[in-house]
């Protein structure tokens, strides 16, 4: 498996290489496409221009033949004389040539810029004569070896002549005409190659700079392990890569907090379970199996410790459920009806005397089941530590909903008020030490917090503050029922 992974890593391309290759390939295709398109268009234009000039030369030859010889009162005495006049009066330019053909043999060819002497290519004269044998001008192509010519072959006849045996030919060297654009194409290819090298270099530099933060992120991630999550990714700039680094750092913060909480939980659970296990094991080891009273006492002690361990496990399960991906499911509820329902449920707690004080009738955004769980836990705590007389109410401060549970017991000492919600913190009455911690977790899941303070007149005031929970007024649908707007009823801090 390791060798296979090493092989894949050896052959795989880096992101930078793929980016540079893609940019280079697209640029090369674009440059080549533009060059080829321009070259083909220019070739087509040159070929059309050659045919147009051949047609113009044909008209000039016709005009010369029709005009005749001024010395002979406008009439040519023979086709040979007309041919000589036409050949001499033509003005060939670069890559062109003129030729007179009599009875299939080249006879007249003025000096022209053409690289090849037309008189030295008898095959062309034969080809042109055959092309014009039908008595009509012909435009065609002659190719032999490295020679490619576009030519005009026009028969010349004057009055009284028999079948046309005199032919005027005009030749354009196609390759010579293409020479200029071929030079331009070569220059373009060199320029395109230089541009492609420049594009590749710039793409390499830019991609290296852009991907450098990612490489540093990968190197940092390689150094991060489950035992050491303290290192964070560097955040440079304000681009998408910086946002990704910030998001990764936030994720590492959550993972670090979760692992710290897990380690702390395992440590606390080990400590909490160690004592009852040690107690049960110690009594079982020294128990006298023949003494019925000793067996009964040891059994009762073991059952009591096991029940305490069972409650601890139940509390741990409830606390773990609050650390899942969706610990709460908030929705719009009638907070007044919710608090009144909690008062009714709290009255069923053994030993509880519950009073409903001022209640804020507002629409709030919260998870009613979790809030009910937290409030009943506070009520149970008040019964256990405060003598059973409990007051439950709510108030609105700004846009925050305050849910309050007050007992009339001795209160919470000032030194303990900051740690009473910590996990496994036990008051004087014992317990698993997870009840108030669960309340705090529920409050924080709502974006708020739980706190305790001294109540006016004695006792302790436990408050769950849910900031932003109170919604604005207006008709709303709550649990399928449309209710009218009701203004909140503000309650002072000591109202409960």
């Amino acid at each position: 498996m390791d060798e296979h992974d090493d092989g894949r890593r050896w052959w795989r391309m880096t992101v930078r290489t793929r980016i540079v290759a893609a940019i280079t390939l697209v640029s090369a295709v674009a440059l080549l496409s533009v060059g080829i398109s321009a070259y083909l268009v220019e070739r087509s234009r040159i070929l059309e221009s050659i045919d147009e000039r051949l047609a113009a030369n044909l008209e000039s030859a016709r005009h010369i033949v029709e005009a005749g010889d001024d010395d002979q009162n406008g009439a040519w005495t023979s086709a040979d004389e007309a041919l000589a006049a036409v050949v001499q009066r033509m003005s060939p330019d670069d890559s062109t040539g003129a030729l007179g053909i009599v009875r299939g043999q080249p006879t007249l060819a003025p000096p022209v810029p053409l690289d090849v002497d037309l008189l030295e290519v008898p095959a062309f004269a034969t080809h042109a004569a055959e092309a014009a044998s039908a008595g009509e001008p012909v435009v065609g192509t002659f190719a032999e070896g490295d020679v490619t010519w576009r030519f005009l072959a026009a028969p010349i006849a004057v009055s009284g002549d028999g079948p046309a045996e005199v032919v005027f030919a005009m030749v354009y060297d196609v390759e010579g005409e293409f020479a200029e654009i071929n030079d331009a194409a070569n220059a373009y290819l060199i320029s395109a190659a230089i541009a492609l090298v420049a594009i590749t270099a710039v793409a390499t530099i830019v991609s290296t700079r852009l991907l450098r933060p990612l490489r540093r992120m990968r190197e940092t991630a390689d150094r991060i392990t489950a035992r050491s999550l303290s290192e964070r990714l560097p955040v440079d700039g304000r681009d998408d890569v910086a946002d990704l680094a910030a998001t990764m750092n936030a994720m590492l913060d959550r993972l670090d907090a979760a692992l710290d909480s897990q380690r702390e939980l395992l440590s606390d659970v080990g400590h909490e379970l160690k004592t009852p296990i040690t107690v049960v094991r110690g009594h079982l080891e020294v128990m006298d199996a023949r003494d019925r009273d000793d067996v009964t006492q040891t059994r009762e002690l073991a059952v009591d410790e096991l029940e305490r361990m069972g409650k601890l496990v139940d509390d741990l399960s409830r606390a773990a459920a609050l650390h899942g991906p969706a610990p709460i499911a908030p929705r719009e509820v009638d907070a007044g009806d919710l608090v009144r329902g909690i008062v009714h449920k709290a009255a069923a707690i053994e030993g509880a005397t519950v009073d409903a004080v001022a209640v804020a009738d507002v629409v709030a955004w919260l998870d009613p089941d979790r809030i009910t769980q937290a409030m009943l836990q506070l009520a149970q705590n008040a019964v256990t530590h405060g003598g059973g007389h409990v007051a439950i109410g709510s108030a609105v401060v700004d846009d925050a909903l305050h849910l309050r549970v007050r007992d009339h017991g001795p209160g919470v000492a000032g030194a303990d008020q900051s740690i009473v919600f910590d996990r496994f913190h036990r008051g004087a009455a014992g317990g698993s030490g997870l009840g108030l911690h669960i309340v705090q977790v529920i409050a924080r899941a709502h974006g708020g917090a739980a706190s305790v303070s001294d109540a006016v007149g004695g006792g302790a005031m436990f408050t769950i503050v849910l900031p932003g929970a109170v919604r604005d007024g207006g008709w709303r649908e709550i649990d399928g029922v449309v209710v009218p707007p009701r203004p909140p009823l503000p309650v002072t801090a000591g109202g409960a």
Side-chain angles (χ1 to χ4, degrees):
M1 179 64 71
D2 293 339
E3 293 180 357
H4 180 66
D5 292 341
D6 291 341
R8 292 181 59 187
R9 178 172 297 183
W10 174 260
W11 285 105
R12 72 183 181 183
M13 297 175 62
T14 63
V15 174
R16 183 182 65 179
T17 302
R18 282 182 284 178
I19 291 175
V20 173
I23 293 176
T24 303
L25 180 61
V26 171
S27 300
V29 171
L31 291 172
L32 189 61
S33 300
V34 171
I36 292 176
S37 299
Y39 183 78
L40 293 177
V41 169
E42 190 64 17
R43 280 179 62 95
S44 177
R45 185 192 65 78
I46 289 175
L47 292 175
E48 292 178 358
S49 176
I50 290 175
D51 288 347
E52 291 174 357
R53 282 181 284 176
L54 288 174
N57 289 326
L58 176 61
E59 293 299 322
S60 298
R62 283 177 176 172
H63 176 73
I64 293 172
V65 173
E66 292 173 357
D69 186 1
D70 294 337
D71 296 336
Q72 300 295 330
N73 298 321
W76 298 106
T77 58
S78 66
D80 292 349
E81 292 181 358
L83 174 63
V86 171
V87 171
Q88 291 174 359
R89 295 181 187 182
M90 287 296 172
S91 300
D93 54 10
D94 293 343
S95 303
T96 63
L99 179 66
I101 305 171
V102 178
R103 287 174 287 277
Q105 298 298 320
T107 58
L108 297 174
V112 294
L114 198 64
D115 293 337
V116 179
D117 188 352
L118 296 179
L119 295 175
E120 296 179 357
V121 187
F124 171 71
T126 303
H127 181 79
E130 291 177 353
S133 61
E136 294 294 333
V138 175
V139 175
T141 301
F142 173 78
E144 184 178 80
D146 296 333
V147 174
T148 302
W149 292 339
R150 190 74 170 162
F151 69 91
L152 163 68
I156 296 178
V158 296
S159 177
D161 286 346
E165 295 183 349
V166 177
V167 176
F168 164 71
M170 193 74 180
V171 173
Y172 276 82
D173 185 0
V174 177
E175 295 300 328
E177 292 290 315
F178 287 160
E180 294 183 2
I181 65 169
N182 289 337
D183 293 340
N186 293 331
Y188 176 83
L189 289 176
I190 295 173
S191 301
I194 295 174
L196 198 60
V197 172
I199 291 172
T200 303
V202 172
T204 302
I205 295 172
V206 173
S207 61
T208 300
R209 291 177 61 87
L210 291 177
L211 295 176
R212 183 180 296 121
L214 293 179
R215 185 176 65 254
R216 290 163 55 189
M217 291 169 60
R218 179 182 60 78
E219 293 171 352
T220 304
D222 288 339
R223 293 193 297 269
I224 295 175
T225 64
R227 294 178 178 269
S228 176
L229 289 175
S230 59
E231 191 166 359
R232 292 296 179 266
L233 304 175
V235 180
D236 299 326
R238 299 181 180 179
D239 53 9
D240 294 339
V241 177
D243 293 341
L244 175 61
T247 302
M248 295 291 291
N249 285 338
M251 182 188 70
L252 289 174
D253 290 338
R254 294 192 296 270
L255 289 175
D256 197 9
L259 288 176
D260 287 342
S261 176
Q262 184 184 52
R263 285 191 288 264
E264 182 181 353
L265 176 62
L266 292 175
S267 176
D268 292 340
V269 169
H271 175 73
E272 293 297 323
L273 293 180
K274 182 178 180 180
T275 300
I277 291 175
T278 301
V279 171
V280 173
R281 180 176 180 178
H283 281 79
L284 289 176
E285 287 177 348
V286 302
M287 179 188 69
D288 185 0
R290 293 171 295 182
D291 188 345
R292 179 174 295 180
D293 293 336
D294 191 13
V295 171
T296 301
Q297 292 176 1
T298 302
R299 175 183 176 277
E300 292 175 353
L301 183 143
V303 170
D304 182 67
E305 289 297 316
L306 290 175
E307 287 181 354
R308 188 163 69 88
M309 292 170 62
K311 292 179 181 179
L312 175 63
V313 171
D314 290 340
D315 289 342
L316 286 173
S317 298
R318 289 190 296 163
L322 293 171
H323 291 282
I328 63 172
R331 55 189 175 90
E332 287 186 342
V333 297
D334 189 321
D337 291 344
L338 176 64
V339 173
R340 295 185 187 92
I342 293 173
V343 171
H344 180 72
K345 294 176 182 178
I349 298 175
E350 184 178 356
T353 301
V354 183
D355 295 332
V357 292
V359 176
D361 286 308
V362 293
V363 174
W365 182 260
L366 49 81
D367 186 335
D369 296 331
R370 292 300 187 184
I371 292 299
T372 300
Q373 176 186 354
M375 294 291 284
L376 291 179
Q377 180 62 54
L378 291 177
Q380 179 65 59
N381 184 77
V383 172
T384 303
H385 297 273
H389 189 190
V390 182
I392 299 176
S394 63
V396 173
V397 179
D398 295 330
D399 63 345
L401 179 64
H402 289 224
L403 302 170
R404 299 179 176 131
V405 176
R406 174 187 175 180
D407 63 41
H408 293 78
V412 179
D416 292 337
Q417 289 183 1
S418 60
I419 61 174
V420 70
F421 293 97
D422 291 349
R423 186 167 49 203
F424 295 115
H425 174 78
R426 291 188 177 89
S432 67
L434 287 173
L436 294 182
H437 174 71
I438 292 174
V439 173
Q440 185 69 278
V441 172
I442 293 175
R444 289 176 178 172
H446 284 80
S451 62
V452 61
S453 59
D454 295 331
V456 178
M461 173 74 75
F462 289 86
T463 304
I464 298 176
V465 180
L466 306 179
V470 178
R471 297 294 165 128
D472 53 359
W475 293 83
R476 296 183 179 277
E477 180 177 346
I478 302 175
D479 294 336
V481 179
V482 178
V483 297
R486 289 181 292 181
L489 303 176
V491 180
T492 59

